[in-house]
Amino acid sequence: MKTDVNALAENGKTISRNKKSGGYILKNKTKKWTVSIVRALLLFGLCFMIIQPILARIGVSLMSEKDLYDSTVVLLPRHATLDNYRIVAELTALKGMNNGAWTFGSMLNTLWVSLVSSLFQIISCTLVGYGFARYSFPLKKLWFALVIAVIIIPPQTISIPLYTNFVNFDIFGIFRATKGDSLNLLKSPLPYLLMCLTCMGLKDGLYIYMLRTYFQGIPKSLEEAAYVDGCSTMHTFVRIMLPDAIPTIASCFLFSFVWQWTDLFYTRNFFKTFDMYSIKLNSIAGSVSGYFSKGNSATVQVAPARVQQLINIGILFCIIPLIILYIFTQKTFVQSIAMSGSKE
Amino acid sequence: MARKYSPDYWSPREGIGAFLPWSGTYRTMRARNARTGVRFIFPFIIGFLLFMLMPLIQSLQFSLSNVKLVPGEGYSLVWNNFKNFHYAVAIDANFNKAIVDESLKMVINTIATLVLSFVLAVILNQNFKGRTLARAIFFLPVILSSGVLAGIEQTSSSSFNIMTAVSQEAASASGVNLSQSLQNLLSVSGVGSGALQIVFDMIDAIYDIVMASGIQIIVFLSGLSAISPSLYEAAVVEGCTAWEAFWKITFPMLSPLLLVNAIYTIIDFFMKSSNSVMENINTLQNSSKYGQASAQSWIYFGVSLAFIGLSALIISKGVKSSEN
């Protein structure tokens, strides 16, 4: 009862205040409400658009083949089955085709390649970014322009020479002289890891740029104080600069991990001999027909809708680990990038 | 003045050894710092020379010659008088068309991405309930549209995108397609139909555009968070409306980032493996026509460089004129 009275009094006050202000308060309130409603609608629509394909994929992935051709089945399966997952797992080498054991072979390969290569990338890029941010040396501008050039030059331009060089690897003919043949390095992960260590991996120019921008924003007096106290250059870098930079480095690491995970270009060129998930995923469409016609004498034609369904499950397998990672590290992803960018 | 040290990084007295990054000889603090700096960027120098410059030169050689792979020995090159470039421009039926198509698409895409990410960044920078969630969802495309996913998605998104599904459903149910009829109505109304068509294309491609604008939103957001709130307070005190504040404060402060984003978007678009030019180059490569493939990728690189330069020119001019 009391609260009602209070509310009424409050209302009366607001109304009289509104009158006094010549309708300004009402106008303002209406404006605010309209803006927030329009904003909510827009954001909801766009968010829905981003999320919806994932949900639709999950729905479609559970459908049996019958449901795919049934036009009354749109979102949810009528005859739900988990069989599709098994087929895709076998197609993408997550599961052994013969013994039927879940080995996650291609996924584990992708995992360690992504982990190691992004670790190497970030170590080298942090060093280089720090060098560009803090020291002046001859031809610095030229070298930095070349970092930008590395961002801009499409890796496709150099993929053929790289390939031929690594296939017939030889340093001044030493291997040919001693062993009689040049080395084929492409059977090992060495070439790509070497490239990561020397800042030539996937999108490394971007990480150098980001880390340089970050280091430029840190006050110089921090290091000067360390130098005055007798700290060496390397020591200052490791003890003073690195601890502060960890959020930015972490976000660069996450980016490089995620992009390496889904990368097709470098993977296709340098990890051909490994079972890598992105390659397997890309070739699902090609290998489906062979899979279904195994044991049959004639090749089975697989309907396009069915192939699409299997590809979608493959995509789900690929993004589920990433989404779990993203849920836990969302803040690192966004915030430190925002921080590093703000100092441009 | 007792002794004049050369202000340069290097004096002949230090000898050639001073150029080596691990060399300990130096005469000035500046020279010492310079050497430390080179030591830090040494990985990049090595990597650039070995894995970028060398392959680039080789690729240029490839593009100018007949390439034959010799098993076990590498390749043999025979100079062929720009035949590969001639092939790309005059003989290959797909290449010219693909480049023109992709460039047009790129221009439309870039403009749409810039506008959309700008608007979204401004919205996501406001205070409202569920902002963290909204931000998290808008950055999801950074993950979901990278690498192999982008290429595969293009073939499959159309069949699993509810927008197209619903509009198809509506069209088949009532015989009328709502968005189509709206388009017709607008076209009949006499406004320049060419410009409208571009807008319609953008709206049809909104899914792709949102998926491609994750990083751009982050960049704009970072710029927004760097604007001091006191600027807006001062503007309000002076009687500035929100609309004016947007054009006089927000827009000028963010315009330097427009260039960064434009370049990022252009590169991103040109390097997608689902790009039809890239596909063309890949097919050539897979059929061992290395010379032709290199020539095409050089042409493509030139085109993308031209577009980046052009956009840099336009945006920097535009930024200057908006500052005056």
Side-chain angles (χ1 to χ4, degrees):
Chain A
M1 204 52 214
K2 214 176 177 184
T3 49
D4 276 3
V5 173
N6 273 347
L8 272 180
E10 232 3 67
N11 264 346
K13 236 189 244 165
T14 327
I15 289 167
S16 68
R17 271 181 68 208
N18 185 37
K19 257 183 198 158
K20 264 186 210 158
S21 69
Y24 178 78
I25 290 180
L26 182 67
K27 215 173 106 191
N28 222 7
K29 273 254 158 96
T30 333
K31 219 191 215 166
K32 248 185 202 163
W33 273 99
T34 331
V35 167
S36 60
I37 288 172
V38 170
R39 183 174 58 201
L41 279 176
L42 184 71
L43 287 183
F44 178 79
L46 289 176
C47 285
F48 180 73
M49 201 170 69
I50 295 171
I51 298 285
Q52 181 268 334
I54 303 174
L55 300 179
R57 284 208 176 97
I58 295 174
V60 168
S61 69
L62 295 168
M63 291 178 188
S64 60
E65 199 171 352
K66 227 189 298 172
D67 289 1
L68 287 178
Y69 311 125
D70 187 346
S71 61
T72 58
V73 175
V74 180
L75 288 177
L76 294 173
R78 184 167 290 155
H79 308 277
T81 169
L82 283 174
D83 207 37
N84 304 319
Y85 285 90
R86 183 186 55 77
I87 295 171
V88 175
E90 286 180 7
L91 277 174
T92 55
L94 293 180
K95 188 180 177 190
M97 279 220 199
N98 303 321
N99 51 13
W102 287 84
T103 55
F104 293 102
S106 56
M107 205 62 110
L108 286 177
N109 274 344
T110 306
L111 180 71
W112 76 255
V113 166
S114 310
L115 271 180
V116 173
S117 65
S118 40
L119 192 71
F120 282 10
Q121 279 178 342
I122 295 309
I123 290 174
S124 56
C125 288
T126 311
L127 287 174
V128 173
Y130 182 70
F132 274 119
R134 272 298 186 263
Y135 294 99
S136 58
F137 41 84
L139 302 181
K140 181 180 174 181
K141 280 203 175 133
L142 173 74
W143 285 117
F144 196 68
L146 292 177
V147 172
I148 304 295
V150 169
I151 304 179
I152 295 174
I153 294 170
Q156 280 83 353
T157 319
I158 57 162
S159 68
I160 312 161
L162 272 183
Y163 175 81
T164 52
N165 282 350
F166 282 127
V167 162
N168 302 302
F169 188 76
D170 216 340
I171 306 169
F172 309 124
I174 294 172
F175 290 110
R176 191 181 301 282
T178 53
K179 286 187 181 166
D181 201 7
S182 52
L183 281 177
N184 182 357
L185 278 186
L186 280 187
K187 281 179 184 153
S188 73
L190 203 70
Y192 188 62
L193 296 184
L194 218 60
M195 284 177 71
C196 287
L197 262 184
T198 51
C199 302
M200 289 296 137
L202 178 67
K203 300 201 185 194
D204 270 358
L206 195 65
Y207 308 135
I208 294 179
Y209 183 80
M210 270 160 55
L211 286 158
R212 167 184 165 267
T213 325
Y214 170 78
F215 281 124
Q216 272 179 341
I218 294 181
K220 252 188 176 155
S221 47
L222 268 178
E223 291 150 290
E224 278 162 8
Y227 291 143
V228 167
D229 284 345
C231 214
S232 72
T233 320
M234 210 52 206
H235 222 75
T236 313
F237 175 63
V238 174
R239 297 300 267 295
I240 312 283
M241 299 306 273
L242 274 191
D244 274 350
I246 279 178
T248 308
I249 294 175
S251 79
C252 283
F253 180 82
L254 281 174
F255 271 111
S256 99
F257 178 81
V258 166
W259 280 333
Q260 188 65 52
W261 182 280
T262 56
D263 172 64
L264 187 62
F265 177 76
Y266 283 100
T267 314
R268 204 160 37 187
N269 278 319
F270 292 107
F271 295 97
K272 236 180 203 161
T273 49
F274 293 81
D275 275 345
M276 299 292 282
Y277 192 78
S278 58
I279 299 177
K280 294 279 175 194
L281 173 58
N282 199 46
S283 60
I284 284 183
S287 52
V288 160
S289 164
Y291 177 83
F292 281 112
S293 45
K294 215 167 54 172
N296 296 20
S297 50
T299 36
V300 178
Q301 288 294 324
V302 186
R306 178 82 167 144
V307 177
Q308 277 307 325
Q309 183 199 23
L310 297 179
I311 288 178
N312 276 291
I313 296 172
I315 292 179
L316 277 182
F317 278 146
C318 184
I319 62 175
I320 283 170
L322 295 181
I323 287 183
I324 294 171
L325 180 77
Y326 182 68
I327 288 171
F328 287 112
T329 56
Q330 188 256 122
K331 276 209 170 125
T332 321
F333 253 108
V334 177
Q335 277 178 351
S336 41
I337 294 297
M339 255 160 57
S340 76
S342 68
K343 272 134 194 165
E344 280 176 44
Chain B
M1 241 189 223
R3 191 187 172 120
K4 225 172 158 189
Y5 280 105
S6 154
D8 284 317
Y9 299 109
W10 178 80
S11 72
R13 240 179 272 187
E14 293 175 52
I16 303 290
F19 278 108
L20 302 172
W22 53 83
S23 150
T25 47
Y26 45 81
R27 305 192 77 80
T28 57
M29 190 64 193
R30 207 173 150 192
R32 181 187 163 171
N33 274 343
R35 218 128 303 149
T36 320
V38 174
R39 227 171 281 172
F40 269 110
I41 69 158
F42 197 60
F44 177 77
I45 295 177
I46 291 283
F48 184 82
L49 294 181
L50 274 185
F51 302 125
M52 187 57 80
L53 196 63
M54 229 171 68
L56 268 182
I57 293 169
Q58 279 173 325
S59 155
L60 204 58
Q61 283 178 334
F62 279 15
S63 68
L64 292 171
S65 31
N66 275 328
V67 183
K68 272 212 185 92
L69 284 190
V70 183
E73 282 179 44
Y75 47 82
S76 69
L77 300 173
V78 183
W79 163 263
N80 72 350
N81 216 0
F82 295 104
K83 227 180 207 164
N84 292 327
F85 286 95
H86 181 249
Y87 173 82
V89 177
I91 299 176
D92 192 337
N94 302 323
F95 184 67
N96 285 335
K97 191 178 168 303
I99 260 197
V100 173
D101 282 356
E102 290 297 331
S103 304
L104 275 180
K105 249 198 254 169
M106 189 276 305
V107 170
I108 294 173
N109 235 36
T110 309
I111 295 170
T113 310
L114 285 180
V115 171
L116 187 84
S117 55
F118 192 94
V119 171
L120 281 177
V122 169
I123 291 177
L124 288 177
N125 195 43
Q126 293 165 347
N127 269 319
F128 55 89
K129 267 181 202 161
R131 185 173 79 157
T132 329
L133 182 71
R135 279 187 176 193
I137 291 174
F138 275 105
F139 301 143
L140 211 53
V142 174
I143 296 175
L144 297 185
S145 68
S146 57
V148 61
L149 299 175
I152 281 198
E153 182 137 339
Q154 231 174 30
T155 52
S156 63
S157 72
S158 52
S159 52
F160 288 101
N161 198 330
I162 206 159
M163 304 289 178
T164 45
V166 165
S167 66
Q168 277 165 8
E169 202 65 17
S172 61
S174 60
V176 187
N177 186 332
L178 189 65
S179 66
Q180 191 59 50
S181 54
L182 192 67
Q183 279 187 23
N184 292 341
L185 195 71
L186 280 171
S187 313
V188 171
S189 69
V191 194
S193 57
L196 272 178
Q197 194 51 49
I198 292 175
V199 175
F200 293 144
D201 287 348
M202 282 185 196
I203 293 172
D204 284 342
I206 185 115
Y207 177 76
D208 296 326
I209 291 167
V210 169
M211 289 308 268
S213 55
I215 291 276
Q216 288 86 332
I217 294 176
I218 297 182
V219 171
F220 276 138
L221 261 181
S222 70
L224 279 173
S225 62
I227 301 177
S228 145
S230 57
L231 279 179
Y232 291 100
E233 280 165 23
V236 169
V237 169
E238 299 282 350
C240 198
T241 62
W243 178 250
E244 283 166 342
F246 177 79
W247 286 108
K248 297 282 177 191
I249 301 173
T250 316
F251 192 73
M253 295 288 267
L254 283 192
S255 47
L257 293 181
L258 267 179
L259 183 61
V260 176
N261 270 348
I263 292 176
Y264 185 86
T265 317
I266 293 173
I267 295 171
D268 206 36
F269 189 84
F270 269 133
M271 290 192 198
K272 261 188 199 155
S273 51
S274 56
N275 198 314
S276 58
V277 181
M278 286 291 177
E279 271 169 14
N280 203 36
I281 294 173
N282 275 339
T283 354
L284 279 178
Q285 223 175 97
N286 290 340
S287 51
S288 328
K289 291 177 179 164
Y290 295 115
Q292 277 105 323
S294 320
Q296 292 199 354
S297 52
W298 274 95
I299 294 176
Y300 190 50
F301 177 45
V303 170
S304 62
L305 211 59
F307 271 106
I308 290 169
L310 199 68
S311 69
L313 204 73
I314 292 172
I315 290 175
S316 58
K317 274 258 167 75
V319 168
K320 250 185 211 155
S321 67
S322 82
E323 273 168 358
N324 290 337

